[in-house]
Amino acid sequence: MAYLTLKDINKIYPNGFHAVHDFNLEIEKGEFIVFVGPSGCGKSTTLRMIAGLEDISKGDFLIDGVRANEMGPRERQIAMVFQSYALYPQMTVYDNLAYGLTLQGVDEDVIEEKVKKTAKILGLTDYLDRLPRALSGGQRQRVAVGRAIIRKVGIFLMDEPLSNLDAKQRVTMRSEITQIHRETGATTIYVTHDQTEAMTMADRIVVMKDGYVQQIGTPYDLYFNPVNVFVAGFIGEPPMNFIRTKVTNGNIEILGTTQSLTALGRPELAACEGKEIVFGFRPEAIQLGQVPDSYTITATVELTEMLGDNTNVYITAGDEKAILKVEPHDTPEMDSKFTFSIPYNTIYIFDAATEKVIK
Ligand code: ATP
């Protein structure tokens, strides 16, 4: 049996706004789940329903097989870290960490041992006497995480905990949180709008849009087997290229060249004759020059962005544009002609009307 079960969960706010629709998910003990999606898609609302901070309008929430809809936040044995650190400014790091345990009347000796252990995990040992204002943003966020993990809880909820940090600190904290998860083994649900955080941290990702779950899967699944245009475009940076085109006599016109759909070796695409489709390929999937089993295209280089480990190449061909990712040493000249190939096995075809992938 799953540790956490969300069954047909819905949230309708008092003003009638339906923020979450039929959310279904089973979470195993110890899993690291990430809810990801654009602003307003219902991630925080779902997390807050799990935390017991928001009523569940419809559906069932079970912890270890027991219905928990009506349980208060404390009863759920949950710890939560928010975007704002909400530390007590007049208390030292030690006292901030100890506070929850002191309230519970835990023995001073036990508290000291736990504070020291938590500080060690989080690299805060040298800062225990400091006040929050004498810490960097990353250190403050570590204290906030520490306050949550110091209590023994089964479920750890985090709502955009890294969004107040700069890019470098985010990368460091990302791996620290993953490490803490490994050490504590707590079932974790983490909310973010950042697909890189989702991809690097999650065992499984839940992609949401407009209150609906789009897809649930491992980072690998979502990258290689997206179910629709939204997920395909959301996961990956730069995003997948999408080109709308019409199937005519088994051919499609993409990036100024006519290509045969039958060459893809997918006979089911014959059913798309006369229909509009969306042709998708990832910037990093291309190969230089002409290679077998692929569509070869010659385009004009509009702009190049040298990023160090790779270069983004913006091309135009016919009326269409795309972004390609190449090795820095292969960066083409601006305004030059550039020939590249899209291997058949890296191409995605979506139904233009439903935006669902055609398999
Ligand atoms: P963000 O990344 O911006 O935090 P989110 O995905 O977490 O977004 P939610 O905060 O869950 O989104 O909000 C989902 C939708 O519900 C939004 O359209 C929001 O405006 C709406 N909403 C949130 N709280 C309320 C409320 N108390 N009453 C009515 N609507 C609300």
Side-chain angles (χ1 to χ4, degrees), residues 13-15 17 19 37-46 160 191 193:
Y13 278 110
N15 67 357
F17 184 73
S39 184
C41 70
K43 311 178 290 289
S44 298
T45 301
T46 308
E160 306 241 9
V191 162
H193 59 265

Side-chain angles (χ1 to χ4, degrees), residues 129-142:
D129 296 333
R130 291 209 196 170
L131 292 174
R133 66 165 180 269
L135 298 175
S136 73
Q139 289 161 344
R140 278 181 221 167
Q141 191 52 281
R142 260 182 250 166

Side-chain angles (χ1 to χ4, degrees), residues 220-228 232 240-243 264 266 269 277-282 285 342-351 357-359:
Y220 185 96
D221 265 348
L222 297 192
Y223 181 85
F224 287 104
N225 301 309
V227 296
N228 59 26
M240 185 182 284
N241 294 295
F242 297 114
I243 294 160
L264 283 173
R266 296 181 48 190
L269 292 176
I277 58 159
V278 177
F279 179 95
F281 70 100
R282 294 206 181 271
I342 311 168
Y344 294 148
N345 61 2
T346 65
I347 288 166
Y348 296 85
I349 307 280
F350 304 90
D351 184 314
V357 76
I358 301 171
K359 284 200 181 159

Side-chain angles (χ1 to χ4, degrees), residues 11-20 36-48 54 83 159-160 191-193 208 210-211:
K11 178 67 191 182
I12 303 159
Y13 278 110
N15 67 357
F17 184 73
H18 200 151
V20 178
V36 71
S39 184
C41 70
K43 311 178 290 289
S44 298
T45 301
T46 308
L47 196 75
R48 291 170 59 80
E54 203 70 72
Q83 182 173 341
D159 195 350
E160 306 241 9
V191 162
T192 180
H193 59 265
M208 296 180 74
D210 300 336

Side-chain angles (χ1 to χ4, degrees), residues 164-182:
N164 285 339
L165 305 182
D166 66 35
K168 216 169 169 183
Q169 285 175 326
R170 275 210 298 276
V171 174
T172 316
M173 273 304 281
R174 219 161 65 195
S175 58
E176 283 182 14
I177 288 177
T178 312
Q179 188 67 31
I180 291 164
H181 173 251
R182 242 181 245 142

